[in-house]
Amino acid sequence: ATLELTRTVAEQDELDMDLNEGQDLKMMKSWRVNMQLVKDRLVLLEAEKDASMHEQERTLKAEVEQLKLAAERRAAANREHLAMVQQLLERIERTEEEAAPLKPALVAANERITELEGETSALSRTVRLQAEADAVMRLNIQVNEVAKAEALAVQQRRTDEEREEKA
């Protein structure tokens, strides 16, 4: 009976060990499945990341191309403006060269204009003085006419007074 009990205990231990090994195997399988799920998820995340990075790269390349085109158009416009400015500068230089012989005549004309302005100013003063003199003369004439009229009135009164005295 002891032997049988020992054997039963040994069998039970063996069964327990088999059971433990079975549980360990289940845990190992579960761990492997979980690890495979994690690996699959990691692969999926890597693929999503790669796709996102490729999309960002394409977007950035497209933006860079647009910026390059805009920069090229701006550079072309700048070259056109620069050419126009250059042409204007050349025209200014030619005009200055053509005008150089005229400068002494311009200076002389400006001096003559200044002289004429002075003469005009003097003439304006003369005209103003003449107008004032004419006004004074008209006033003198009016004063003389008034004086004559008064003298005639006085003379007429005397004549009238003399007639009254004679009569």
Side-chain angles (χ1 to χ4, degrees), residues 3-151:
L3 184 59
E4 192 146 320
L5 187 61
T6 307
R7 202 171 91 196
T8 308
V9 169
E11 286 175 0
Q12 186 64 37
D13 282 345
E14 203 175 298
L15 281 175
D16 284 346
M17 282 183 72
D18 285 346
L19 184 62
N20 280 341
E21 282 179 17
Q23 286 177 348
D24 285 346
L25 277 174
K26 280 184 183 179
M27 283 179 61
M28 289 280 280
K29 283 182 182 179
S30 173
W31 184 80
R32 282 186 193 139
V33 167
N34 285 338
M35 282 302 290
Q36 188 60 45
L37 289 173
V38 167
K39 285 180 182 178
D40 292 346
R41 180 69 180 145
L42 192 60
V43 167
L44 183 61
L45 288 174
E46 282 289 324
E48 288 176 3
K49 182 184 87 171
D50 287 346
S52 174
M53 299 240 334
H54 287 302
E55 181 61 30
Q56 286 179 350
E57 184 179 347
R58 278 192 299 271
T59 302
L60 288 174
K61 283 181 179 178
E63 288 177 7
V64 165
E65 285 303 314
Q66 288 177 348
L67 289 172
K68 282 180 181 178
L69 289 173
E72 288 172 5
R73 285 192 300 269
R74 195 65 179 132
N78 285 343
R79 284 189 297 275
E80 286 178 24
H81 287 116
L82 184 61
M84 287 173 46
V85 168
Q86 186 63 35
Q87 288 174 349
L88 289 173
L89 287 173
E90 289 170 0
R91 282 180 57 194
I92 289 170
E93 286 178 16
R94 280 193 311 272
T95 304
E96 285 177 348
E97 289 171 2
E98 291 169 2
L102 301 175
K103 283 186 180 181
L106 275 173
V107 169
N110 283 334
E111 289 172 357
R112 182 66 181 135
I113 288 170
T114 303
E115 289 172 12
L116 291 174
E117 286 173 347
E119 290 175 15
T120 303
S121 177
L123 287 174
S124 292
R125 278 193 304 269
T126 303
V127 168
R128 193 174 55 247
L129 289 174
Q130 185 63 42
E132 289 174 6
D134 288 346
V136 168
M137 199 168 11
R138 280 192 300 277
L139 283 174
N140 281 335
I141 291 170
Q142 288 175 354
V143 167
N144 285 337
E145 288 176 3
V146 169
K148 281 182 191 177
E150 284 182 13

